[in-house]
Amino acid sequence: MIAPERFHKIRRLLEQRQPDLTFVMDNVNKPHNLAAIIRSCDAVGIPEVHAVSYRSSIRTKQHTAAGASRWVKVGLDESVEPIGKGLREKGMQILVATFRPDSVDFRTVDYTRPTAIIVGEELKGPSEAALELADRSIYIPMQGMVESLNVSVAAALILFEAQRQRQQAGMYGANRFPAETFDRLLFEYTYPRLSRMFREKGYAYPLLDENGAFTPPPGLSVPQEPDSEEGSEA
């Protein structure tokens, strides 16, 4: 079983997650940029992000980078349109990071609303499909000779502005998941290896007590050794 101290840390992490804030990487193709963006998403409490690629070679890199974290779920897709449709159905405003005549300063946007942020390929920027999805475009003001920032740096600036606004609004102060979803994620975050075993055998997850312990279902032999993934980092 998990150590109580670690369980409470994981529970607190989950309680601060922001299910109505997400990030879309539209054909970002460098593994170090993908990994850096995912880490920034974890840091501001985003539980799920999306990576889009139109080329299988990039998709392989995305899959590798996504494996760097077990705290953020990464959906890999071949097109941004179905992602945008799903986000729209969830009532999210869609922002695309790019400079256009109608772009607004990224700090003027209300990130306390359900929000999806899209960044594009390192050299070409977001695709036309992504731009068509956007409710508005946002940009980062700069006063130097450089015309654009590294995509992972730009992502971090935008994400931490979203975090600042949400902290001021008290949105990190209470669990924002439905109870059933929270209990499922808590078990998967706490016991990633065992949760896979339960799914493979068709067993429902048991409820965890206040220290993360549980009673195995009748007839199921659960390994007693500590979960080998409990110490993995983002």
Side-chain angles (χ1 to χ4, degrees), residues 214-226:
F214 65 91
T215 301
L220 180 64
S221 177
V222 176
Q224 295 301 308
E225 70 272 12

Side-chain angles (χ1 to χ4, degrees), residues 94-200:
I94 299 177
L95 310 175
V96 177
T98 189
F99 184 76
R100 300 196 299 182
D102 60 345
S103 296
V104 299
D105 187 323
F106 78 105
R107 295 165 296 190
T108 65
V109 175
D110 181 6
Y111 295 97
T112 64
R113 294 176 53 192
T115 301
I117 303 159
I118 303 177
V119 295
E121 186 177 353
E122 285 86 347
L123 294 178
K124 298 180 180 179
S127 63
E128 285 299 321
L131 294 173
E132 290 176 4
L133 286 170
D135 293 303
R136 62 171 62 183
S137 300
I138 56 175
Y139 76 100
I140 299 171
M142 291 180 288
Q143 283 73 46
M145 294 293 289
V146 175
E147 295 183 354
S148 63
L149 296 172
N150 172 275
V151 65
S152 66
V153 174
L157 287 172
I158 297 167
L159 285 167
F160 280 93
E161 171 61 17
Q163 181 202 52
R164 183 190 68 81
Q165 292 187 20
R166 286 177 171 240
Q167 282 181 326
Q168 288 187 341
M171 297 176 71
Y172 287 91
N175 168 38
R176 305 185 66 233
F177 288 104
E180 183 177 344
T181 302
F182 183 84
D183 290 341
R184 174 180 61 80
L185 291 174
L186 183 60
F187 190 85
E188 292 176 353
Y189 274 37
T190 305
Y191 297 106
R193 181 170 58 85
L194 291 179
S195 66
R196 287 196 294 271
M197 186 186 78
F198 273 65
R199 291 195 300 272
E200 289 169 0

Side-chain angles (χ1 to χ4, degrees), residues 32 39 53 69 77 94-95 133 159 162 186 192 207 216-217 228 233:
H32 65 275
R39 289 180 71 89
S53 173
S69 173
D77 300 272
I94 299 177
L95 310 175
L133 286 170
L159 285 167
L186 183 60
L207 290 177
S228 63
E233 298 295 334

Side-chain angles (χ1 to χ4, degrees), residues 24-27 50-55 59 62 75-85 127 129-130 133:
V24 182
M25 295 165 282
D26 183 23
N27 226 40
H50 304 271
V52 179
S53 173
Y54 311 105
R55 301 198 296 272
R59 203 151 51 247
Q62 289 175 338
L76 301 178
D77 300 272
E78 296 182 5
S79 172
V80 74
E81 288 94 341
I83 295 174
K85 180 180 178 182
S127 63
L133 286 170

